Amino acid sequence: MTSKETSAGSGRQRSRTPVVPRRALRDGVYDAILEKLLDGSAPPGSSLGIDSLARELEVSPTPVREALVQLEHTGLVTRTALKGYRVAPPLSPEQLAELFDMRGILEVAAVERAVAHTDDLLPELQAAHARHVLAAHRVRKLRGAEGQPTDFADLREYFAADWEFHLTIIRAAGNRFLSQSVESLGTHVHRLRQTVDHGTMDLEQAIDEHAAILAAFETRDPERPRAAMRDHLAAVARRVSADG
């Protein structure tokens, strides 16, 4: 290899090296803004200024702009010409009904397919349920006697464990397109959590309903997991409607 080729090759390597750090920075900014949306510090309808967010997060405007474009695709933020970005309004009752209708269609279908893989699924689902129970315990502990979370960090861990229980079943269905469809709902589930009052959590009910789904799979009866998932989603929809 000539020195010119070596130089060109090293130049190409140098041009590629910033990609991962930049992506990591953008992802970090995305997570920081997402947390503001979910912990109530950026309420629905409030403005999201690129420059002010960049100063707050101590980064340049570029990763903030990229993160906001990404969040716009999720529906969590909106952009108006000449006015910039704002936090999206809460999901309307009609949108909530449609969200749970779609969750029912996709997640019950996933359960129907996952029952064929119950033996492989059960250890993972038991572990996911244990993590959900532990996360709920931490939320209760941090709330203390007042019953209010100290900040959003404990709730974020709890919500992630809750959603992972569902994703464990969905992955067990063995259909990549079904998995992609359900995972795309994750951002809308985030919007759902914007709608719900953070002070009125359904920890006990969700844990009990997940336990019922797990127990249904343990029976090896193909009908019971489907009914348990349907009952859980219907109960969550009723609780969200009552909070709204």
Side-chain angles (χ1 to χ4, degrees), residues 13-177:
Q13 289 177 347
R14 282 195 298 272
S15 67
R16 287 198 297 265
T17 52
V19 172
V20 172
R22 178 176 175 179
R23 184 179 301 146
L25 176 61
R26 182 195 63 200
D27 290 348
V29 170
Y30 177 94
D31 289 343
I33 298 174
L34 176 61
E35 186 155 335
K36 289 175 65 66
L37 300 180
L38 300 182
D39 69 6
S41 59
S46 61
S47 176
L48 294 168
I50 292 174
D51 291 337
S52 59
L53 283 169
R55 287 193 297 271
E56 179 183 344
L57 300 175
E58 299 181 350
V59 296
S60 72
T62 298
V64 174
R65 187 177 294 107
E66 292 174 344
L68 288 173
V69 169
Q70 191 177 355
L71 284 164
E72 183 183 8
H73 292 317
T74 71
L76 286 168
V77 305
T78 61
R79 182 179 180 276
T80 304
L82 304 179
K83 293 185 178 179
Y85 291 94
R86 290 188 176 275
V87 182
L91 291 172
S92 67
E94 293 78 11
Q95 289 173 316
L96 287 172
E98 291 175 4
L99 173 60
F100 278 101
D101 182 38
M102 181 55 72
R103 282 192 67 181
I105 292 169
L106 294 174
E107 294 199 52
V108 172
V111 168
E112 291 171 348
R113 288 154 180 77
V115 293
H117 311 287
T118 296
D119 289 342
D120 293 329
L121 168 63
L122 274 177
E124 295 183 13
L125 194 59
Q126 289 162 348
H129 182 57
R131 289 191 292 270
H132 187 206
V133 171
L134 180 59
H137 172 73
R138 288 174 178 157
V139 171
R140 294 189 205 99
K141 185 176 180 181
L142 288 171
R143 283 182 170 197
E146 297 299 321
Q148 294 292 331
T150 54
D151 56 33
F152 184 67
D154 57 324
L155 294 182
R156 185 170 190 175
E157 178 188 1
Y158 170 81
F159 288 145
D162 183 306
W163 188 233
E164 181 60 25
F165 180 89
H166 289 261
L167 292 180
T168 300
I169 297 171
I170 290 153
R171 288 192 292 265
N175 185 312
R176 72 191 68 189
F177 299 107

Side-chain angles (χ1 to χ4, degrees), residues 168-218:
T168 300
I169 297 171
I170 290 153
R171 288 192 292 265
N175 185 312
R176 72 191 68 189
F177 299 107
L178 178 59
S179 295
Q180 290 170 5
S181 296
V182 177
E183 289 187 16
S184 72
L185 294 180
T187 54
H188 300 290
V189 174
H190 283 316
R191 289 193 71 198
L192 168 63
R193 286 159 184 163
Q194 283 182 301
T195 305
V196 178
D197 180 357
H198 293 300
T200 56
M201 295 289 295
D202 61 347
L203 299 177
E204 304 299 338
Q205 298 97 319
I207 292 294
D208 288 346
E209 289 157 15
H210 281 192
I213 294 170
L214 174 59
F217 273 104
E218 290 171 338

